[in-house]
Amino acid sequence: MLFRSVVEGFADWEPAHAVAELRRHGQYRVESVGLTLAPVQSMGGIRVLPSRTVTEVDPAEVAVFILPGGDRWENSPVEPEIAQLVKRLDAQHVPLAAICAATVAVSRMGLLRGRRHTSNGLEYLRSHVPPGYSEAANYVDVPAVRDRGLITASGLGDVEFARELLEELSVLSAEDRAAWATIFRSARLPGTG
């Protein structure tokens, strides 16, 4: 199953390509995980009803755990329940994917240590993770990075984020993943110029 965190104000569009393609081509069932089972409103105003709470997630069922961005990661500490689950998943080598401001959350959890990663810019991480961000040597200035089960992406790298998730889970062939990413990034179908 594919699990995605849904907390108040999450950036609903950021994982949209990844969730749709993993469900469509990978046949993954999607579970929305909240702090409670109460409805959550996304940054875009979409109301989502979590199907599980973070305390109900069994790591054995998780193929990947996606953390969408949202302003809350910049302005609030990571809830202990979320941090505990994400760290447990990482320790059990379950792939994790954080996009945009969720890269701040995984940095605060200590999950970037020794891993190549990206975000909304090196200065962005430095300004939102003081004094704990000490991984500048592993920062890569590209839209998305995958390193040992952790995928990180800029908020502008939703297509690249999806492509890295497809590759991490071996969904589609390498050729089809590249074609898919080219189509969605260029807004042109193959052979149309």
Side-chain angles (χ1 to χ4, degrees), residues 2 16-30 166 171-172 176 180 183-184:
L2 177 147
H17 283 301
V19 170
E21 298 304 331
L22 288 170
R23 186 170 179 268
R24 187 171 103 180
H25 294 295
Q27 306 302 309
Y28 285 95
R29 192 171 100 213
V30 179
L166 292 169
V171 173
L172 299 175
D176 287 343
W180 177 89
I183 289 167
F184 277 91

Side-chain angles (χ1 to χ4, degrees), residues 93-184:
H93 306 288
V94 173
L96 303 170
I99 185 168
C100 195
T103 59
V104 169
V106 296
S107 181
R108 288 179 181 163
M109 289 182 231
L111 299 179
L112 298 181
R113 285 191 192 107
R115 287 173 158 157
R116 292 173 358 107
H117 60 279
T118 195
S119 182
N120 295 332
L122 181 56
E123 291 308 314
Y124 172 81
L125 279 178
R126 285 181 172 150
S127 69
H128 286 90
V129 190
Y133 181 73
S134 60
E135 291 295 314
N138 292 313
Y139 186 85
V140 184
D141 192 17
V142 295
V145 173
R146 185 166 50 95
D147 188 352
R148 291 173 285 143
L150 178 65
I151 298 164
T152 53
S154 157
L156 300 175
D158 60 321
V159 170
E160 294 80 3
F161 181 69
R163 185 194 63 227
E164 293 296 338
L165 274 157
L166 292 169
E167 187 166 336
E168 180 71 26
L169 297 174
S170 300
V171 173
L172 299 175
S173 68
E175 203 172 78
D176 287 343
R177 287 190 299 264
W180 177 89
T182 299
I183 289 167
F184 277 91

Side-chain angles (χ1 to χ4, degrees), residues 4-11 14 33 35 43 54 65-80 82-83 86 97-106 108-109 124 128-129:
R4 71 173 175 162
S5 169
V6 290
V7 292
E8 199 64 34
F10 75 97
E14 291 174 344
V33 179
L35 289 165
M43 193 182 283
V54 292
F65 193 84
I66 298 173
L67 287 156
D71 296 339
R72 71 185 324 274
W73 302 123
E74 297 173 350
N75 305 315
S76 304
V78 178
E79 286 81 356
I82 293 174
V86 171
I99 185 168
C100 195
T103 59
V104 169
V106 296
R108 288 179 181 163
M109 289 182 231
Y124 172 81
H128 286 90
V129 190

